[in-house]
Amino acid sequence: MIMESEISFIDSHCHLDAPEFDLDRDDVVARSRAAGVARWVVPAVTAATFAKTAAMQQQYGAEIAFGLHPIYEAQHRDEHLVRLRQQLDLGLAIAVGEIGLDFYLPELSADRQIHFFEAQLKIARDYDLPVIVHIRRSQDQVLKYLRKWQVRGGIAHAFNGSEQQAEQFIKLGFCLGFGGALTYSGSQRIRRLAQTLPLEALVLETDAPDIQPSWLAGPPKLRNEPAELLPIAQELAQLRNIDLTTLAVSCAENTRRVLNINI
Ligand SMILES: [Zn+2]
């Protein structure tokens, strides 16, 4: 009988470098390791924090990705795309991310988001790297640009689309990221997809400190952290009626496959 703590998970998307963790990051990482979540993929969000993202690799052995996140479009400048190439030249990043489009927040400029998204898809193609894409209310548009730029696949983070959209991402070489959103009994579509999509298409993620699982939703809303991947995975295993080890092994393998890494 395998103890749950012996199962090894990969959190395929967490912002361990976020300011929310500045005061107790070592403790957060220790709790994560104790829960069996000892591998993390940390995508950057702005050029200003590339060094902090890189430090997650030096300090904790996290896998890192560099990119300009769509919700910070107002901060991005064209010279940051040059900085992005310089970071990728170092050969430390496994993907370009977090990039994408967010059409949920009305204050964001769609044109600027598309400008930086396309520029970064071109960079991902130039470097032959997978991408980690943010797709909130923008799945069809993201799919359109992925087809246009023909990148090598990656992860559709926080997937919340239809079965048809899921199939299109899968066809383009993507896995779909599932996390805290599936722990809400009201999230029927996400739960149904998490239950019925092929296991080879799923990766586990927390998006910590965001996308709280139901038990942290509050009020007050509590900080999410990578250790929560364990109870999220337990809920997904239950939904799919498979054992936790099978889920952990498959999702870790899927993460390795789409990100082309060996961790
Ligand atoms: Zn994120």
Side-chain angles (χ1 to χ4, degrees):
M1 166 113 185
I2 297 172
M3 297 286 293
E4 287 186 353
S5 61
E6 290 171 14
I7 303 176
S8 177
F9 295 93
I10 301 175
D11 185 348
S12 67
H13 192 117
C14 67
H15 297 283
L16 202 53
D17 56 347
E20 284 87 340
F21 297 122
D22 282 353
L23 292 178
D24 63 344
R25 191 170 285 107
D26 285 350
D27 295 338
V28 168
V29 168
R31 278 195 291 276
S32 182
R33 287 189 171 127
V37 188
R39 298 275 184 274
W40 314 269
V41 178
V42 180
V45 294
T46 65
T49 54
F50 281 168
K52 205 172 171 192
T53 307
M56 298 302 106
Q57 188 174 54
Q58 290 136 23
Q59 289 172 22
Y60 306 111
E63 298 294 334
I64 52 172
F66 292 113
L68 307 174
H69 192 301
I71 73 166
Y72 302 104
E73 53 84 7
Q75 294 178 40
H76 303 329
R77 301 286 176 267
D78 280 343
E79 69 245 35
H80 297 168
L81 297 167
V82 178
R83 297 255 315 270
L84 174 58
R85 285 182 182 270
Q86 288 166 348
Q87 289 293 324
L88 297 175
D89 283 337
L90 301 174
L92 302 173
I94 57 160
V96 175
E98 178 170 354
I99 64 174
L101 300 171
D102 190 312
F103 295 156
Y104 173 72
L105 297 170
E107 66 272 25
L108 299 180
S109 153
D111 287 349
R112 284 179 56 83
Q113 290 190 60
I114 292 168
H115 167 71
F116 286 106
F117 185 41
E118 286 209 86
Q120 294 182 94
L121 289 174
K122 180 179 187 326
I123 291 173
R125 215 176 68 169
D126 288 348
Y127 284 80
D128 194 24
L129 285 169
V131 293
I132 298 170
V133 289
H134 176 104
I135 54 175
R136 190 158 54 162
R137 298 265 172 97
S138 62
Q139 321 228 13
D140 288 334
Q141 292 90 343
V142 166
L143 282 163
K144 177 179 109 182
Y145 292 111
L146 291 175
R147 277 192 210 102
K148 177 175 170 185
W149 289 99
Q150 298 281 316
V151 293
R152 65 171 297 151
I155 294 175
H157 153 62
F159 184 74
N160 184 17
S162 65
E163 195 177 339
Q164 207 177 34
Q165 287 163 329
E167 280 165 9
Q168 291 176 54
F169 276 109
I170 293 166
K171 225 187 261 173
L172 291 171
F174 280 73
C175 271
L176 312 169
F178 283 88
L182 68 83
T183 63
Y184 296 83
S185 52
S187 305
Q188 287 183 19
R189 186 161 81 166
I190 291 188
R191 286 167 75 87
R192 195 173 54 242
L193 283 171
Q195 206 171 9
T196 55
L197 285 171
L199 191 52
E200 305 77 54
L202 307 188
V203 296
L204 289 163
E205 61 174 37
T206 61
D207 199 31
D210 301 319
I211 313 194
Q212 281 75 7
S214 57
W215 51 90
L216 300 178
K221 210 182 217 187
L222 299 172
R223 182 185 67 175
N224 189 13
E225 55 177 74
E228 300 296 340
L229 197 79
L230 174 59
I232 290 168
Q234 284 167 327
E235 186 141 348
L236 180 55
Q238 222 165 41
L239 270 178
R240 295 187 69 98
N241 198 23
I242 59 176
D243 66 77
L244 191 60
T245 307
T246 305
L247 180 71
V249 169
S250 301
C251 289
E253 181 48 41
N254 298 341
T255 306
R256 291 187 197 100
R257 187 183 73 246
V258 288
L259 296 182
N260 195 29
I261 50 176
N262 185 21
I263 59 171

